[in-house]
Amino acid sequence: MILKTTQKVSPRRAAAAGFFGGAIEFYDFFIYGTASAVVLNVLFFSGLSPAIGTLAAFATLAVGYVVRPLGAIVFGHIGDRYGRRTALMGTLMTMGAATVLIGVLPTTAILGDWAAVLLVLLRLIQGLGLGGEMGNAATLTMESSPRKRRGFYSSFTYAGGFVGMVLATGAFALVSMLPEEAFMSWGWRMPFLASGVLLVITYLVRRHIPEPPVAERARAEGNTERFPVLQVARQHKKDVLLATIIAAAPNTVYYIVSVFGITYAVTTYGVAQTTMLILVSISSAVLAISVPLWGGLSDRVDRRKLIVIGLIAEAMFTFVYFMLMGTADPVMILLGMLLVLVFGHGIVNGIQAALFTELFPVEVRSTAVSLGQQLGGALSGFGPLIASAIIVANPDGWYLVALYAGGLCLLAAVAAIFTVTKWGHQGLQDDEVAEPSTPLTTRLEGNDMATTR
């Protein structure tokens, strides 16, 4: 029997789908993170003291991270069984709907305690959508890329995520310039509602992206798992654990810098809230530009060695960032952000997508990569909450926050040393992607397709 597919392999189109999808998904997810630092503690947890209200707002932020592993299982299953593209369309719609609904959610002043309950529910739905996004996007891009350019093309998924963060913090920087009454009544809602426009744009970009031929071929040959997560638990738990540790540390640092850092700089050093939002936007924009550069370098330098260097640098620069924050000088704070994000976090995130996807075989790749990323994401989601708790107990304890984040980075560096690429060779061959306009023809021997295992 001969199975033909007319879909074209284009690493650029796959990278664009990952980039725009990452941008909208992380815009949606991080406008909540930014809002939790500046407005949700007042509107939805108004019966609490300012410090405890902020702690409660960060707790709902963490809830979205806890559910992300479930999203990884659900959408990873869809990606492995029914297609990476199908899973990515599902994550896009799930996240977009939840974000727009947050934008029209009545506050505690209108609904009472039910407002906080609904806020947490929508946050859970956000986390479910994001849980399957990055793993499927990274997998689709890697499987659509030439072997020698996987690091470069795969990194655009993460670069898009940081662009989304720039859009999120930039949107709040703009609306925070409104008079306080306008901002607290309706201005804070605008970034959430704007997600609807971004959702439509991203849908149009993503809907025509073809399925990677290597994944399509695996399903056509029956080389799939009925329950991919069970296969991952049986045969790939060590690599998932390593990926979890490697993902958790840098994400924790980023959330402490970009979410907790805003509140800490404002309340402790008197830096203007708008100033901090602008600084986070600038540093995240430079970070987004740096990620593909580091990803491209990883195609020429051993990925493990480079990511270890990045994790050690991120640990060191976290201390530098907090020391420079103590000057209350925006220029010095920006310098600290650039050091920790571009020359630490950027290295790690430029490499993660390719490193993780090459750890696992094609039939369970979406599930395994998503699980590793999102278990790490669930742990890192507690970063702002833990940092806030440290400061509540010890107002001058910034060094303890830096020690917590930096220690995680050093642990991740050890984990990275133990990673060994076993399955990268199962991706596309160079000659399969050298000519994107050439259709892939897959020949199956025998009378019938093999049954699913």
Side-chain angles (χ1 to χ4, degrees):
M1 170 179 177
I2 298 177
L3 174 66
K4 294 185 178 181
T5 173
T6 58
Q7 292 181 329
K8 301 176 181 179
V9 182
S10 172
R12 292 182 180 180
R13 290 179 63 188
F19 178 84
F20 286 104
I24 178 62
E25 294 281 345
F26 274 83
Y27 171 84
D28 286 356
F29 205 69
F30 276 87
I31 53 175
Y32 186 99
T34 305
S36 69
V38 299
V39 68
L40 298 183
N41 56 332
V42 176
L43 296 179
F44 290 89
F45 305 98
S46 54
L48 305 173
S49 67
I52 301 302
T54 299
L55 202 63
F58 281 146
T60 62
L61 174 67
V63 162
Y65 290 89
V66 171
V67 78
R68 279 165 63 169
L70 177 59
I73 295 173
V74 172
F75 289 105
H77 179 94
I78 295 172
D80 286 324
R81 291 279 291 163
Y82 305 105
R84 320 309 194 201
R85 177 183 171 278
T86 299
L88 287 172
M89 296 303 288
T91 61
L92 180 65
M93 297 304 171
T94 300
M95 176 68 80
T99 304
V100 171
L101 287 174
I102 291 176
V104 297
L105 183 64
T107 64
T108 300
I110 299 174
L111 285 184
D113 292 341
W114 278 106
V117 172
L118 291 175
L119 180 65
V120 172
L121 177 61
L122 291 173
R123 180 63 177 174
L124 286 170
I125 296 173
Q126 274 194 324
L128 190 70
L130 185 59
E133 168 64 27
M134 299 302 286
N136 276 288
T139 296
L140 182 145
T141 306
M142 177 272 209
E143 292 174 344
S144 301
S145 302
R147 186 193 306 273
K148 296 180 181 179
R149 298 287 281 167
R150 285 174 180 166
F152 175 71
Y153 284 117
S154 297
S155 68
F156 278 90
T157 298
Y158 283 75
F162 294 123
V163 169
M165 296 173 192
V166 172
L167 294 175
T169 53
F172 267 96
L174 288 175
V175 297
S176 66
M177 295 179 185
L178 292 169
E180 184 176 0
E181 182 178 355
F183 173 72
M184 297 301 291
S185 63
W186 57 268
W188 69 272
R189 298 180 182 276
M190 301 311 295
F192 289 93
L193 297 177
S195 175
V197 177
L198 296 175
L199 175 66
V200 173
I201 295 173
T202 307
Y203 171 80
L204 295 176
V205 171
R206 183 169 277 186
R207 65 175 179 168
H208 293 306
I209 296 301
E211 184 73 2
V214 65
E216 191 174 45
R217 182 167 61 242
R219 289 195 303 278
E221 294 174 346
N223 188 24
T224 59
E225 296 292 336
R226 185 174 183 183
F227 297 106
V229 68
L230 298 181
Q231 184 70 5
V232 170
R234 286 194 298 263
Q235 296 187 4
H236 306 287
K237 53 183 175 291
K238 176 185 174 182
D239 288 325
V240 169
L241 175 61
L242 293 175
T244 297
I245 297 171
I246 296 170
N251 286 341
T252 298
V253 172
Y254 186 85
Y255 302 146
I256 286 176
V257 170
S258 64
V259 178
F260 167 79
I262 294 175
T263 301
Y264 189 68
V266 171
T267 58
T268 304
Y269 300 113
V271 182
Q273 175 182 293
T274 301
T275 298
M276 286 302 297
L277 289 170
I278 292 173
L279 294 182
V280 170
S281 297
I282 293 172
S283 59
S284 294
V286 178
L287 169 61
I289 294 171
S290 75
V291 166
L293 300 179
W294 293 119
L297 182 61
S298 78
D299 290 322
R300 297 169 174 80
V301 179
D302 183 83
R303 295 199 217 282
R304 285 191 301 170
K305 292 180 181 178
L306 191 56
I307 201 170
V308 167
I309 292 172
L311 286 163
I312 293 174
E314 193 162 7
M316 295 171 55
F317 288 139
T318 299
F319 282 89
V320 175
Y321 165 69
F322 277 102
M323 287 189 290
L324 293 178
M325 184 188 292
T327 67
D329 182 345
V331 174
M332 299 305 291
I333 295 174
L334 177 61
L335 175 61
M337 285 183 180
L338 291 174
L339 287 174
V340 69
L341 296 183
V342 175
F343 296 99
H345 198 67
I347 297 175
V348 178
N349 281 271
I351 301 169
Q352 269 191 11
L355 179 70
F356 288 175
T357 51
E358 290 179 339
L359 288 176
F360 304 103
V362 62
E363 62 268 18
V364 296
R365 187 171 286 150
S366 285
T367 299
V369 173
S370 296
L371 259 181
Q373 288 177 334
Q374 302 313 326
L375 286 171
L379 294 175
S380 65
F382 288 94
L385 178 61
I386 293 174
S388 294
I390 290 173
I391 296 303
V392 168
N394 186 350
D396 297 322
W398 66 263
Y399 58 93
L400 296 175
V401 176
L403 184 63
Y404 157 63
L408 287 177
C409 287
L410 295 180
L411 177 62
V414 174
I417 293 173
F418 287 96
T419 58
V420 178
T421 299
K422 304 171 188 158
W423 303 98
H425 64 279
Q426 289 197 356
L428 293 174
Q429 301 298 317
D430 288 341
D431 57 355
E432 288 181 296
V433 293
E435 297 294 338
S437 61
T438 303
L440 176 70
T441 301
T442 303
R443 296 182 180 273
L444 300 177
E445 301 295 336
N447 296 326
D448 299 302
M449 292 184 186
T451 57
T452 301
R453 288 189 291 182

PDB file of all heavy atoms in Angstrom, residues 83 110 418:
ATOM      1  N   GLY A  83      -1.933  14.317  16.076  1.00  0.00           N
ATOM      2  CA  GLY A  83      -1.193  15.322  15.316  1.00  0.00           C
ATOM      3  C   GLY A  83      -0.783  16.519  16.148  1.00  0.00           C
ATOM      4  O   GLY A  83      -1.548  17.000  16.986  1.00  0.00           O
ATOM      5  N   ILE A 110     -18.776  43.261  43.259  1.00  0.00           N
ATOM      6  CA  ILE A 110     -20.049  42.910  42.621  1.00  0.00           C
ATOM      7  C   ILE A 110     -20.487  41.495  42.969  1.00  0.00           C
ATOM      8  O   ILE A 110     -21.634  41.256  43.352  1.00  0.00           O
ATOM      9  CB  ILE A 110     -19.935  43.068  41.093  1.00  0.00           C
ATOM     10  CG1 ILE A 110     -19.617  44.521  40.728  1.00  0.00           C
ATOM     11  CG2 ILE A 110     -21.211  42.602  40.401  1.00  0.00           C
ATOM     12  CD1 ILE A 110     -19.351  44.742  39.257  1.00  0.00           C
ATOM     13  N   PHE A 418      23.834  15.217  32.977  1.00  0.00           N
ATOM     14  CA  PHE A 418      23.412  13.816  32.857  1.00  0.00           C
ATOM     15  C   PHE A 418      22.504  13.548  31.660  1.00  0.00           C
ATOM     16  O   PHE A 418      22.121  12.403  31.424  1.00  0.00           O
ATOM     17  CB  PHE A 418      22.717  13.366  34.144  1.00  0.00           C
ATOM     18  CG  PHE A 418      23.643  13.153  35.294  1.00  0.00           C
ATOM     19  CD1 PHE A 418      23.850  14.150  36.228  1.00  0.00           C
ATOM     20  CD2 PHE A 418      24.336  11.959  35.447  1.00  0.00           C
ATOM     21  CE1 PHE A 418      24.716  13.977  37.291  1.00  0.00           C
ATOM     22  CE2 PHE A 418      25.208  11.760  36.495  1.00  0.00           C
ATOM     23  CZ  PHE A 418      25.409  12.764  37.435  1.00  0.00           C
TER      24      PHE A 418
END
